[in-house]
Amino acid sequence: MIRPSFLQTGDTVALVSTARKVSRIEMKPAMDLLKSWGLNVQTGKNLFKEDRQFAGTDEDRAADLQKALNSKTCKAILFA
C-alpha cells in the first residue's frame, strides 16, 4: 500500500466542493484552522459559485477537482 507523507508546515492543500454550495462565512473557520497549522489553502475557482443547491455546474465542480488532482504542489484535497 502506498502511504502519502504527513503534511508539513508550508504544504498546500486544496479546498473544493464536489456537491453542495458553500459560503465564505461557512468555510472561514476551516480555512483559518488550516492556516493556523501552517498550511497554504488553495480554494477551487468555483468553490463559492451557486447553481441551485450546488457549488456551480457539474463541469465547474469537476474542473476544480481535476485541477487539484493535477496540481504538482497540492499535497492534499479537502472537500467542503
Side-chain angles (χ1 to χ4, degrees):
M1 177 164 68
I2 298 172
R3 292 183 187 214
S5 59
F6 291 103
L7 292 174
Q8 303 292 320
T9 300
D11 282 347
T12 298
V13 296
L15 188 56
V16 299
S17 179
T18 56
R20 78 174 188 91
K21 64 184 175 185
V22 293
S23 69
R24 290 182 191 279
I25 292 169
E26 287 176 295
M27 297 311 302
K28 186 170 179 1
M31 293 170 67
D32 289 346
L33 180 62
L34 293 167
K35 289 176 184 176
S36 77
W37 292 343
L39 299 170
N40 299 316
V41 179
Q42 175 186 1
T43 59
K45 175 183 169 188
N46 302 296
L47 179 62
F48 302 115
K49 262 191 170 180
E50 291 185 31
D51 184 30
R52 295 179 303 274
Q53 75 268 27
F54 300 108
T57 65
D58 291 346
E59 293 80 14
D60 292 337
R61 292 178 278 127
D64 279 356
L65 177 57
Q66 192 62 57
K67 182 177 179 186
L69 289 168
N70 292 345
S71 174
K72 300 287 187 205
T73 59
C74 183
K75 300 291 183 177
I77 301 171
L78 303 173
F79 297 88

Coordinates of all heavy atoms in Angstrom, one line a residue:
M1 N 0.8 -1.2 0.0 CA 0.0 0.0 0.0 C 0.9 1.2 0.0 O 1.9 1.3 0.7 CB -0.9 0.0 1.2 CG -1.8 1.2 1.3 SD -3.1 1.1 2.5 CE -2.4 1.0 4.1
I2 N 0.5 2.2 -0.8 CA 1.2 3.5 -0.9 C 0.7 4.4 0.2 O -0.5 4.6 0.3 CB 1.1 4.1 -2.2 CG1 1.7 3.2 -3.3 CG2 1.8 5.5 -2.2 CD1 1.4 3.7 -4.7
R3 N 1.6 4.9 1.1 CA 1.2 5.9 2.1 C 1.8 7.2 1.8 O 3.0 7.3 1.7 CB 1.6 5.4 3.5 CG 0.9 4.1 3.9 CD 1.3 3.7 5.3 NE 0.7 2.4 5.6 CZ 0.4 2.1 6.8 NH1 0.5 2.9 7.8 NH2 -0.2 0.9 7.0
P4 N 0.9 8.2 1.7 CA 1.5 9.6 1.5 C 2.2 10.1 2.7 O 1.9 9.6 3.8 CB 0.2 10.4 1.2 CG -0.9 9.7 1.8 CD -0.5 8.2 1.8
S5 N 3.1 11.0 2.5 CA 3.8 11.6 3.7 C 2.8 12.5 4.5 O 1.8 12.9 3.9 CB 5.0 12.4 3.2 OG 4.6 13.4 2.3
F6 N 3.2 12.7 5.7 CA 2.4 13.6 6.5 C 2.5 15.0 6.0 O 3.5 15.4 5.5 CB 2.8 13.6 8.0 CG 2.6 12.3 8.7 CD1 3.5 11.3 8.9 CD2 1.3 12.0 9.1 CE1 3.3 10.1 9.5 CE2 1.0 10.8 9.8 CZ 2.0 9.8 9.9
L7 N 1.4 15.8 6.2 CA 1.5 17.2 5.8 C 2.5 18.0 6.7 O 2.6 17.7 7.9 CB 0.1 17.9 6.0 CG -0.9 17.4 5.0 CD1 -2.3 18.0 5.3 CD2 -0.6 17.7 3.6
Q8 N 3.2 18.9 6.1 CA 4.3 19.7 6.8 C 3.9 21.1 6.7 O 3.2 21.6 5.8 CB 5.6 19.5 6.1 CG 6.1 18.0 6.1 CD 6.4 17.4 7.4 OE1 7.0 18.1 8.3 NE2 6.0 16.2 7.7
T9 N 4.4 21.9 7.6 CA 4.2 23.4 7.5 C 4.7 23.9 6.1 O 5.7 23.5 5.7 CB 5.1 24.1 8.6 OG1 4.6 23.6 9.9 CG2 4.9 25.6 8.6
G10 N 3.8 24.7 5.5 CA 4.2 25.2 4.2 C 3.6 24.4 3.1 O 3.6 24.9 1.9
D11 N 3.0 23.2 3.3 CA 2.4 22.4 2.3 C 1.1 23.1 1.9 O 0.5 23.9 2.6 CB 2.1 21.0 2.8 CG 3.3 20.1 2.8 OD1 4.3 20.5 2.2 OD2 3.2 19.0 3.4
T12 N 0.7 22.8 0.6 CA -0.5 23.4 0.1 C -1.6 22.3 0.1 O -1.4 21.2 -0.3 CB -0.3 23.9 -1.4 OG1 0.7 24.9 -1.3 CG2 -1.6 24.4 -2.0
V13 N -2.8 22.7 0.5 CA -4.0 21.9 0.5 C -5.0 22.6 -0.4 O -5.2 23.8 -0.3 CB -4.5 21.5 1.9 CG1 -3.5 20.7 2.7 CG2 -4.9 22.8 2.6
A14 N -5.7 21.8 -1.2 CA -6.8 22.3 -2.0 C -8.1 22.1 -1.3 O -8.4 21.1 -0.7 CB -6.8 21.6 -3.3
L15 N -9.0 23.1 -1.4 CA -10.3 23.0 -0.8 C -11.3 23.2 -1.9 O -11.4 24.2 -2.6 CB -10.5 24.1 0.2 CG -11.7 24.2 1.1 CD1 -11.9 22.9 1.9 CD2 -11.6 25.3 2.1
V16 N -12.1 22.1 -2.2 CA -13.1 22.1 -3.3 C -14.4 21.6 -2.8 O -14.5 20.9 -1.8 CB -12.6 21.2 -4.5 CG1 -11.3 21.7 -5.0 CG2 -12.4 19.8 -4.1
S17 N -15.4 21.9 -3.5 CA -16.7 21.3 -3.3 C -17.2 20.6 -4.5 O -17.3 21.2 -5.6 CB -17.8 22.4 -2.9 OG -19.0 21.8 -2.7
T18 N -17.5 19.3 -4.3 CA -17.9 18.5 -5.5 C -19.4 18.3 -5.4 O -20.0 17.6 -6.2 CB -17.3 17.1 -5.5 OG1 -17.5 16.5 -4.2 CG2 -15.8 17.2 -5.7
A19 N -20.1 19.0 -4.4 CA -21.5 18.8 -4.3 C -22.2 20.2 -3.9 O -22.2 21.1 -4.7 CB -21.8 17.8 -3.2
R20 N -22.6 20.3 -2.7 CA -23.4 21.5 -2.3 C -22.6 22.8 -2.3 O -21.4 22.8 -2.1 CB -24.1 21.3 -1.0 CG -23.2 21.5 0.2 CD -24.0 21.3 1.5 NE -23.3 21.7 2.7 CZ -23.2 22.9 3.2 NH1 -23.8 23.9 2.6 NH2 -22.5 23.2 4.2
K21 N -23.4 23.9 -2.4 CA -22.8 25.2 -2.4 C -22.4 25.5 -0.9 O -23.0 25.0 0.0 CB -23.7 26.3 -2.9 CG -25.0 26.4 -2.1 CD -25.9 27.4 -2.8 CE -27.2 27.5 -2.0 NZ -28.2 28.3 -2.6
V22 N -21.4 26.3 -0.8 CA -20.9 26.8 0.5 C -20.6 28.3 0.4 O -20.3 28.8 -0.7 CB -19.6 26.0 1.0 CG1 -20.0 24.6 1.3 CG2 -18.5 26.1 0.0
S23 N -20.7 28.9 1.5 CA -20.4 30.4 1.6 C -19.0 30.6 2.2 O -18.5 29.7 2.8 CB -21.4 31.1 2.4 OG -21.3 30.8 3.7
R24 N -18.5 31.8 1.9 CA -17.2 32.1 2.5 C -17.3 32.1 4.0 O -16.3 31.7 4.7 CB -16.8 33.5 2.0 CG -16.4 33.6 0.6 CD -15.9 35.0 0.2 NE -15.8 35.0 -1.3 CZ -14.8 34.6 -2.0 NH1 -13.8 34.0 -1.4 NH2 -14.8 34.7 -3.3
I25 N -18.4 32.5 4.6 CA -18.6 32.6 6.0 C -18.5 31.1 6.6 O -17.9 30.9 7.6 CB -19.9 33.3 6.4 CG1 -19.8 34.8 6.1 CG2 -20.2 33.1 7.9 CD1 -21.1 35.5 6.2
E26 N -19.1 30.2 5.9 CA -19.1 28.8 6.3 C -17.7 28.2 6.3 O -17.4 27.4 7.2 CB -20.0 27.9 5.4 CG -21.5 28.1 5.6 CD -22.2 27.3 4.6 OE1 -22.1 27.5 3.4 OE2 -22.9 26.3 5.0
M27 N -16.9 28.6 5.3 CA -15.6 28.0 5.1 C -14.5 28.7 5.9 O -13.4 28.1 6.1 CB -15.3 28.0 3.7 CG -16.2 27.1 2.8 SD -16.5 25.5 3.4 CE -14.9 24.8 3.5
K28 N -14.8 29.9 6.4 CA -13.8 30.7 7.1 C -13.1 29.9 8.3 O -11.9 29.9 8.4 CB -14.3 32.0 7.6 CG -13.2 32.9 8.2 CD -13.7 34.3 8.4 CE -12.7 35.2 9.0 NZ -11.4 34.8 9.3
P29 N -13.9 29.3 9.2 CA -13.3 28.6 10.3 C -12.4 27.5 9.9 O -11.3 27.3 10.4 CB -14.5 28.0 11.1 CG -15.7 28.9 10.8 CD -15.4 29.3 9.3
A30 N -12.7 26.7 8.9 CA -11.9 25.6 8.4 C -10.6 26.2 7.8 O -9.5 25.7 8.0 CB -12.6 24.8 7.4
M31 N -10.8 27.2 7.0 CA -9.6 27.9 6.3 C -8.7 28.5 7.4 O -7.4 28.3 7.3 CB -10.1 28.9 5.3 CG -10.8 28.3 4.1 SD -11.6 29.5 3.0 CE -10.2 30.3 2.4
D32 N -9.2 29.1 8.4 CA -8.4 29.7 9.4 C -7.7 28.6 10.2 O -6.5 28.8 10.6 CB -9.3 30.5 10.4 CG -9.8 31.8 9.8 OD1 -9.3 32.2 8.7 OD2 -10.7 32.4 10.4
L33 N -8.3 27.5 10.5 CA -7.7 26.4 11.2 C -6.5 25.8 10.4 O -5.4 25.6 10.9 CB -8.7 25.3 11.5 CG -8.1 24.1 12.3 CD1 -7.6 24.5 13.6 CD2 -9.2 23.0 12.4
L34 N -6.7 25.6 9.1 CA -5.7 25.0 8.2 C -4.5 26.0 8.2 O -3.3 25.6 8.2 CB -6.2 24.8 6.8 CG -7.3 23.7 6.7 CD1 -8.0 23.7 5.4 CD2 -6.6 22.3 7.0
K35 N -4.8 27.3 8.1 CA -3.7 28.3 8.1 C -3.0 28.3 9.4 O -1.8 28.5 9.4 CB -4.3 29.7 7.7 CG -4.7 29.8 6.2 CD -5.4 31.1 5.9 CE -5.9 31.1 4.5 NZ -6.6 32.4 4.2
S36 N -3.7 28.1 10.5 CA -3.0 28.2 11.8 C -2.1 27.0 12.0 O -1.2 27.0 12.8 CB -4.1 28.2 12.9 OG -4.6 26.9 13.1
W37 N -2.3 25.9 11.2 CA -1.4 24.8 11.2 C -0.2 25.0 10.3 O 0.6 24.1 10.1 CB -2.2 23.5 10.8 CG -3.2 23.0 11.7 CD1 -3.4 23.4 13.0 CD2 -4.3 22.1 11.4 NE1 -4.5 22.7 13.6 CE2 -5.0 21.9 12.6 CE3 -4.7 21.4 10.3 CZ2 -6.1 21.1 12.6 CZ3 -5.8 20.6 10.3 CH2 -6.5 20.4 11.5
G38 N -0.2 26.2 9.6 CA 0.9 26.5 8.8 C 0.8 26.0 7.3 O 1.7 25.9 6.6
L39 N -0.5 25.6 7.0 CA -0.7 25.1 5.6 C -1.2 26.3 4.7 O -1.8 27.2 5.2 CB -1.8 24.1 5.7 CG -1.4 22.8 6.5 CD1 -2.7 21.9 6.6 CD2 -0.3 22.1 5.8
N40 N -0.9 26.2 3.5 CA -1.4 27.1 2.5 C -2.7 26.5 1.9 O -2.7 25.4 1.5 CB -0.4 27.3 1.3 CG 1.0 27.9 1.8 OD1 1.0 28.8 2.6 ND2 2.0 27.3 1.4
V41 N -3.7 27.4 1.9 CA -5.0 26.9 1.4 C -5.3 27.4 0.0 O -5.2 28.7 -0.2 CB -6.1 27.3 2.4 CG1 -7.5 26.9 1.9 CG2 -5.9 26.8 3.8
Q42 N -5.5 26.5 -0.9 CA -5.8 26.9 -2.3 C -7.3 26.5 -2.5 O -7.7 25.3 -2.4 CB -4.9 26.1 -3.2 CG -5.3 26.3 -4.7 CD -4.4 25.3 -5.5 OE1 -3.6 24.6 -5.0 NE2 -4.6 25.4 -6.8
T43 N -8.2 27.5 -2.7 CA -9.6 27.2 -2.9 C -9.9 27.0 -4.4 O -9.2 27.6 -5.3 CB -10.5 28.3 -2.4 OG1 -10.2 29.6 -3.1 CG2 -10.3 28.5 -0.9
G44 N -10.8 26.1 -4.7 CA -11.2 25.9 -6.0 C -11.8 27.1 -6.6 O -12.5 27.9 -5.9
K45 N -11.6 27.4 -7.9 CA -12.1 28.6 -8.6 C -13.6 28.7 -8.4 O -14.1 29.8 -8.3 CB -11.7 28.4 -10.1 CG -12.3 29.5 -10.9 CD -11.9 29.3 -12.4 CE -12.7 30.2 -13.3 NZ -12.5 29.9 -14.7
N46 N -14.3 27.6 -8.4 CA -15.8 27.6 -8.3 C -16.3 27.3 -6.9 O -17.5 27.0 -6.8 CB -16.3 26.6 -9.3 CG -15.8 26.9 -10.7 OD1 -16.2 28.0 -11.3 ND2 -15.0 26.1 -11.3
L47 N -15.5 27.2 -5.9 CA -15.9 26.8 -4.6 C -17.1 27.6 -4.1 O -18.0 27.0 -3.5 CB -14.8 27.0 -3.6 CG -15.1 26.6 -2.1 CD1 -15.4 25.1 -2.0 CD2 -13.9 26.9 -1.2
F48 N -17.2 28.9 -4.4 CA -18.3 29.7 -3.8 C -19.3 30.0 -4.9 O -20.2 30.8 -4.6 CB -17.7 31.0 -3.2 CG -16.7 30.7 -2.1 CD1 -15.4 31.1 -2.3 CD2 -17.1 30.1 -1.0 CE1 -14.4 30.8 -1.3 CE2 -16.1 29.8 0.0 CZ -14.8 30.2 -0.1
K49 N -19.3 29.3 -6.0 CA -20.3 29.5 -7.0 C -21.6 28.9 -6.6 O -21.6 28.0 -5.7 CB -19.9 28.9 -8.3 CG -19.3 29.8 -9.3 CD -19.2 29.1 -10.7 CE -18.8 30.0 -11.7 NZ -18.7 29.4 -13.0
E50 N -22.8 29.3 -7.1 CA -24.1 28.8 -6.8 C -24.8 28.4 -8.1 O -24.9 29.2 -9.0 CB -24.9 29.8 -6.1 CG -24.4 30.1 -4.7 CD -25.4 31.0 -3.9 OE1 -26.6 30.9 -4.2 OE2 -24.9 31.7 -3.1
D51 N -25.3 27.1 -8.1 CA -26.1 26.7 -9.2 C -27.2 25.8 -8.5 O -26.9 24.6 -8.2 CB -25.3 25.8 -10.2 CG -26.2 25.4 -11.4 OD1 -27.2 26.1 -11.8 OD2 -25.9 24.3 -12.0
R52 N -28.3 26.4 -8.2 CA -29.3 25.8 -7.3 C -28.7 25.4 -6.0 O -28.1 26.3 -5.4 CB -30.0 24.6 -8.0 CG -30.8 25.1 -9.3 CD -31.5 23.9 -10.0 NE -30.5 22.9 -10.4 CZ -29.9 22.9 -11.6 NH1 -30.0 23.9 -12.4 NH2 -29.1 21.9 -11.9
Q53 N -28.7 24.2 -5.6 CA -28.1 23.8 -4.3 C -26.6 23.4 -4.5 O -26.0 23.1 -3.5 CB -28.9 22.7 -3.6 CG -28.7 21.3 -4.2 CD -29.7 21.0 -5.3 OE1 -30.3 21.9 -6.0 NE2 -30.0 19.7 -5.5
F54 N -26.1 23.5 -5.7 CA -24.7 23.0 -5.9 C -23.7 24.1 -6.0 O -24.1 25.3 -6.2 CB -24.7 22.2 -7.2 CG -25.6 21.0 -7.2 CD1 -26.7 21.0 -8.0 CD2 -25.3 19.9 -6.4 CE1 -27.6 19.9 -7.9 CE2 -26.1 18.8 -6.4 CZ -27.2 18.8 -7.2
A55 N -22.5 23.8 -5.9 CA -21.3 24.7 -6.0 C -20.9 24.9 -7.4 O -19.9 24.4 -7.8 CB -20.2 24.3 -5.1
G56 N -21.8 25.4 -8.2 CA -21.5 25.6 -9.7 C -22.1 24.4 -10.4 O -22.7 23.5 -9.9
T57 N -21.9 24.4 -11.7 CA -22.4 23.3 -12.6 C -21.5 22.1 -12.4 O -20.5 22.1 -11.8 CB -22.3 23.8 -14.0 OG1 -20.9 23.9 -14.4 CG2 -23.1 25.1 -14.3
D58 N -22.0 21.0 -13.0 CA -21.2 19.7 -12.9 C -19.8 20.0 -13.5 O -18.8 19.5 -12.9 CB -21.9 18.6 -13.7 CG -23.2 18.2 -13.1 OD1 -23.5 18.4 -11.9 OD2 -24.0 17.5 -13.8
E59 N -19.8 20.7 -14.6 CA -18.5 21.0 -15.2 C -17.6 21.8 -14.3 O -16.4 21.6 -14.2 CB -18.7 21.7 -16.6 CG -19.3 20.8 -17.6 CD -20.9 20.7 -17.5 OE1 -21.5 21.5 -16.7 OE2 -21.4 19.8 -18.1
D60 N -18.1 22.8 -13.6 CA -17.4 23.7 -12.7 C -16.8 22.8 -11.6 O -15.6 22.9 -11.3 CB -18.3 24.7 -12.1 CG -18.8 25.8 -13.0 OD1 -18.1 26.0 -14.1 OD2 -19.8 26.4 -12.7
R61 N -17.6 22.0 -11.0 CA -17.1 21.2 -9.8 C -16.1 20.2 -10.3 O -15.1 19.9 -9.6 CB -18.3 20.5 -9.1 CG -19.2 21.6 -8.4 CD -20.4 21.0 -7.8 NE -21.5 20.8 -8.8 CZ -22.1 19.7 -9.0 NH1 -21.9 18.6 -8.3 NH2 -23.0 19.6 -9.9
A62 N -16.3 19.5 -11.4 CA -15.4 18.6 -11.9 C -14.0 19.2 -12.3 O -13.0 18.7 -12.0 CB -15.9 17.9 -13.2
A63 N -14.1 20.4 -12.8 CA -12.9 21.2 -13.2 C -12.0 21.5 -11.9 O -10.8 21.4 -12.0 CB -13.2 22.5 -14.0
D64 N -12.7 21.9 -10.9 CA -12.0 22.2 -9.6 C -11.3 21.0 -9.1 O -10.1 21.0 -8.7 CB -12.9 22.7 -8.5 CG -13.2 24.2 -8.7 OD1 -12.7 24.9 -9.6 OD2 -14.1 24.7 -7.9
L65 N -12.0 19.8 -9.1 CA -11.4 18.6 -8.6 C -10.2 18.2 -9.5 O -9.2 17.8 -9.0 CB -12.4 17.5 -8.5 CG -11.9 16.1 -8.1 CD1 -11.2 16.2 -6.7 CD2 -13.1 15.1 -8.0
Q66 N -10.4 18.2 -10.8 CA -9.4 17.8 -11.7 C -8.1 18.7 -11.6 O -7.0 18.2 -11.6 CB -9.9 17.8 -13.2 CG -8.9 17.1 -14.1 CD -8.8 15.7 -13.8 OE1 -9.7 14.9 -13.8 NE2 -7.5 15.2 -13.6
K67 N -8.3 20.0 -11.4 CA -7.2 20.9 -11.2 C -6.4 20.5 -10.0 O -5.2 20.5 -10.0 CB -7.7 22.3 -11.2 CG -6.5 23.3 -11.0 CD -7.0 24.8 -11.0 CE -5.8 25.7 -10.9 NZ -6.2 27.1 -10.7
A68 N -7.1 20.2 -8.9 CA -6.5 19.8 -7.6 C -5.7 18.5 -7.8 O -4.6 18.4 -7.3 CB -7.5 19.7 -6.5
L69 N -6.3 17.6 -8.5 CA -5.7 16.3 -8.7 C -4.4 16.4 -9.6 O -3.4 15.7 -9.4 CB -6.6 15.3 -9.4 CG -7.8 14.8 -8.6 CD1 -8.8 14.1 -9.5 CD2 -7.3 13.8 -7.5
N70 N -4.5 17.4 -10.5 CA -3.3 17.6 -11.5 C -2.2 18.4 -10.9 O -1.1 18.4 -11.4 CB -3.8 18.2 -12.8 CG -4.7 17.3 -13.6 OD1 -4.7 16.1 -13.4 ND2 -5.4 17.9 -14.5
S71 N -2.5 19.1 -9.8 CA -1.5 20.1 -9.2 C -0.3 19.3 -8.7 O -0.4 18.3 -8.1 CB -2.2 20.8 -8.0 OG -1.2 21.6 -7.4
K72 N 0.8 19.9 -9.1 CA 2.1 19.3 -8.6 C 2.5 19.8 -7.2 O 3.3 19.1 -6.5 CB 3.3 19.8 -9.6 CG 3.1 19.4 -11.0 CD 3.3 17.9 -11.2 CE 3.3 17.5 -12.7 NZ 2.9 16.2 -12.9
T73 N 1.9 20.9 -6.7 CA 2.2 21.4 -5.4 C 1.2 21.0 -4.3 O 1.5 21.1 -3.2 CB 2.3 23.0 -5.5 OG1 1.0 23.5 -5.9 CG2 3.4 23.4 -6.4
C74 N 0.0 20.6 -4.7 CA -1.1 20.3 -3.8 C -0.7 18.9 -3.1 O -0.6 17.9 -3.8 CB -2.4 20.2 -4.5 SG -3.8 19.9 -3.4
K75 N -0.7 18.9 -1.8 CA -0.4 17.7 -1.0 C -1.6 17.0 -0.5 O -1.5 15.8 -0.1 CB 0.5 18.1 0.2 CG 1.8 18.7 -0.2 CD 2.7 17.7 -0.9 CE 4.1 18.3 -1.2 NZ 5.0 17.4 -1.8
A76 N -2.7 17.7 -0.5 CA -4.0 17.1 0.0 C -5.2 17.8 -0.6 O -5.1 19.0 -0.9 CB -4.1 17.1 1.5
I77 N -6.3 17.1 -0.8 CA -7.5 17.7 -1.3 C -8.6 17.5 -0.2 O -8.8 16.4 0.3 CB -8.0 17.0 -2.6 CG1 -6.9 17.2 -3.7 CG2 -9.3 17.7 -3.0 CD1 -7.2 16.4 -4.9
L78 N -9.2 18.6 0.2 CA -10.2 18.5 1.2 C -11.5 19.0 0.6 O -11.6 19.9 -0.2 CB -9.9 19.5 2.4 CG -8.6 19.2 3.1 CD1 -8.3 20.3 4.1 CD2 -8.6 17.8 3.7
F79 N -12.6 18.3 0.9 CA -13.9 18.5 0.3 C -14.8 19.3 1.3 O -14.9 18.9 2.4 CB -14.6 17.2 -0.1 CG -13.8 16.5 -1.2 CD1 -12.8 15.6 -0.8 CD2 -14.0 16.7 -2.5 CE1 -12.0 15.0 -1.8 CE2 -13.3 16.1 -3.5 CZ -12.3 15.2 -3.1
A80 N -15.4 20.3 0.8 CA -16.3 21.1 1.6 C -17.6 20.4 1.8 O -18.1 19.7 0.9 CB -16.6 22.5 0.9

